[in-house]
Amino acid sequence: MRGFLASSIGVATAAALALPLALCTPALAAPALGAAAAPVAPAGSTQSLPLAPLGPAADRSPGVPGMSTSPRLPETRGLPPREVKRFSLVGVVWDDASTQLFGRVQVRTRAVATGNWSDWQDIETHNGEHAPDLGTQESGSGRVRGSTAPLWVGDSDGVEVRVQAEAGAPATRAGARLPSGMRIELVDPGSTDPVTVVDAKNGAEGAADEPAGDDKGDLVALPGMTMETAESSSANVPLAALGAKEITALDKADSTADAVLASEGALSAAARPYIGPRPRIVTRLGWGADESLRESGFVYTGTVKAAFVHHSASGNNYACKDAPAVLRSLYRYHVVSSGWRDLGYNFAVDKCGTVYEGRAGGVAKAVLGAHTMGFNTDSMGVAVLGTYTSTAPPAAAVKAVAQLTAWKLGLFNRDPRAKTTLKSGGGNLFKKGTNVKLNVISGHRDGFATECPGKLLYAQLPPTRTSSAKLQGRP
């Protein structure tokens, strides 16, 4: 792995130095109403329930750890209808990440609003290709588990699950057997309140995403900001102030000037003419990430040579106003349930075209993700929230992918229409160490045998490359 871990000490120290400036101001030390700010409570929760046998009983084979043996009928596990605490996203996990689940996973859920049960819904079972590269510190942490894709079901308080192993599988694999340690994960994204800021000059309160004033000495206090949150937020300075809930959009000229400033001289002269306009990006603080869940510090790779486009395969049953909750659920599922260090994707895009910061470390930096097994090094991953196998992606989402890649790839002087070469870290298409020529904007399926990003989103990649290059101003 060519990535390296950025010390959280330096980042946190920078954030800590900023906070006392606000706290030493009398007007800030005593916010309105004179009450001390309470720490922000972590949002959300995860219920993890074991799946019990529903079909024929099967002995465990001592020769195949974690797998059951049944020469006659496929193994079936599940959970009878059960009332549970409220949740909005589901997925199934198992002990060994190297064990594949060959079979069908279905769930029914009960909606809080109506009390009605849904029909059976299928969960995408092949999800191992959205993962850290093999042999990396993240994949070898001992915490990584096998997992299905997550499914967004909305506010629910009842669940029924059934998982049936594939029948009639080839003799070369144990199709009639299920992995051991299977559990249903029920994720509640929680709710987040706006972070309050206090204007030191006027003593007024407002939301943290309001303009920062005239930039002539105004100081803000961010009540409840933890050191983990300060660490994550400071990674985007100077693109946005500490505690910003969004990074504002800029036109092409200002994006170039801003990128030069932020790079502190590291941005090459060749890249400067071809940086696209920066889109508005909702930060992790903006979508309510609980920074205590992820590992501290950031892991970077050498550069960004390619952008892999994904769909989250979590379904399309969400409103745009719910996208932050969907993202909080995916984040919790990746970290708590799947055992990754952070959200796998570097960016997310909702169906209305809003762009969200993904894995922490700074939106303009080469953050090592866990999105395309074998090709996470020197790349970025963009997930369009939804499932686009048989549903066409909204035009707004496709446009946002073009805008985001025009800006981010431009920072590293990459032509979205070009080819690039990446070295495989190992996968089911390319052996480890193989140099592979790929499109600078590729679909997940280009690097791994998978349906991702869905047939209909994949079909939008050629015009996306053209649009992205045009936004960069390339001839």
Side-chain angles (χ1 to χ4, degrees), residues 181-265:
M182 299 192 76
R183 307 180 72 87
I184 182 74
E185 303 287 291
L186 308 175
V187 181
D188 170 25
S191 59
T192 58
D193 296 323
V195 176
T196 301
V197 302
V198 181
D199 183 326
K201 183 168 61 178
N202 302 315
E205 295 186 357
D209 56 354
E210 291 178 355
D214 56 12
D215 198 28
K216 295 180 180 178
D218 287 359
L219 297 175
V220 296
L222 302 176
M225 177 178 273
T226 64
M227 290 306 297
E228 294 92 346
T229 300
E231 176 191 50
S232 176
S233 181
S234 65
N236 287 317
V237 174
L239 301 186
L242 182 69
K245 298 183 76 174
E246 67 175 59
I247 298 170
T248 58
L250 294 177
D251 62 22
K252 191 176 188 308
D254 287 342
S255 292
T256 302
D258 196 60
V260 171
L261 173 65
S263 72
E264 297 180 344

Side-chain angles (χ1 to χ4, degrees), residues 47 130 169 199 222 267 303 317 323 345 354 356 358 361 391 396 424 449 464:
Q47 302 170 72
H130 298 81
D199 183 326
L222 302 176
L267 188 68
T303 185
N317 187 29
Y345 307 114
T354 300
Y356 300 86
T391 299
S424 173
T464 297

